[in-house]
Amino acid sequence: DLHAMAVYLKSLAASEPPHASRRMRVSVREAALMQKRGADIYGEHCAQCHGDNGEGRAPAAPALAGNRAVTMTSPVNPIRLMLFGGYTPGTVGNPRPFGMPPFSQSLSDQQIADVLTYVRSSWGNEAQPVTVIDVTRNRAGPLW
C-alpha cells in the first residue's frame, strides 16, 4: 500500500505554492481595526481555552504565542481550524481527547479574519493579516 501511494503521489504534476506577493494585502489602518475587533472576539470565544496571552492551557489547548502553525505564510490551516474545528482520534489511552470546536456557524468570515489577524500579530507573533477573501475561499473549498 505504501509503495502504491508513493507511486501515485509521484505521478501527480508538481505545482508551485501560491506566491506571497499574490496574496491580497490589508492596509495598515484596516489591520489595526481588525486587530481591535479580533481582540474582543478572542476574549469572548478563545481566551478561556488558549489563555489571555495565548499561552495555552495544557493539555486542552495549545499555546498560540510563538506557534508556527499560526504564523506560517499561508493562513489556510488556522482558517480551516477556525471554520471546521479539529479533533484528534480517541484511543484507549486517550478515550476523550480535547478538540477545537468549529466556528463556521457562529462567526462570520469577517470575524474569523479579525480574530486570526489578532492572533497572528499578538504575543510576539509576526504574520500577515488574514483577509475576508482568504476565509471565504476556505469556507467554500474542500477540506483536502
Side-chain angles (χ1 to χ4, degrees):
D1 287 344
L2 290 176
H3 178 70
M5 287 176 21
V7 169
Y8 168 73
L9 291 173
K10 285 184 173 185
S11 74
L12 297 175
S15 63
E16 293 294 320
H19 191 273
S21 66
R22 289 188 205 150
R23 289 202 60 230
M24 201 170 180
R25 301 289 179 200
V26 175
S27 72
V28 173
R29 182 175 177 272
E30 179 61 19
L33 291 171
M34 292 174 78
Q35 289 167 350
K36 183 178 179 338
R37 293 187 306 250
D40 293 338
I41 296 165
Y42 182 88
E44 183 179 343
H45 295 283
C46 313
Q48 183 176 2
C49 294
H50 292 285
D52 292 334
N53 298 304
E55 70 275 13
R57 301 217 196 283
L64 300 177
N67 187 326
R68 179 150 162 61
V70 170
T71 60
M72 292 177 69
T73 302
S74 171
V76 169
N77 286 341
I79 290 171
R80 289 185 178 176
L81 204 57
M82 284 285 306
L83 287 170
F84 307 114
Y87 295 88
T88 58
T91 64
V92 172
N94 190 19
R96 299 181 75 189
F98 295 101
M100 170 82 173
F103 287 95
S104 60
Q105 299 300 315
S106 58
L107 296 177
S108 70
D109 291 356
Q110 181 66 62
Q111 290 172 309
I112 291 172
D114 291 346
V115 75
L116 287 176
T117 294
Y118 171 73
V119 168
R120 287 168 54 90
S121 63
S122 297
W123 320 299
N125 292 341
E126 295 180 12
Q128 292 292 315
V130 174
T131 67
V132 174
I133 291 173
D134 291 330
V135 178
T136 302
R137 284 180 181 153
N138 281 280
R139 183 184 290 272
L143 292 178
W144 57 90

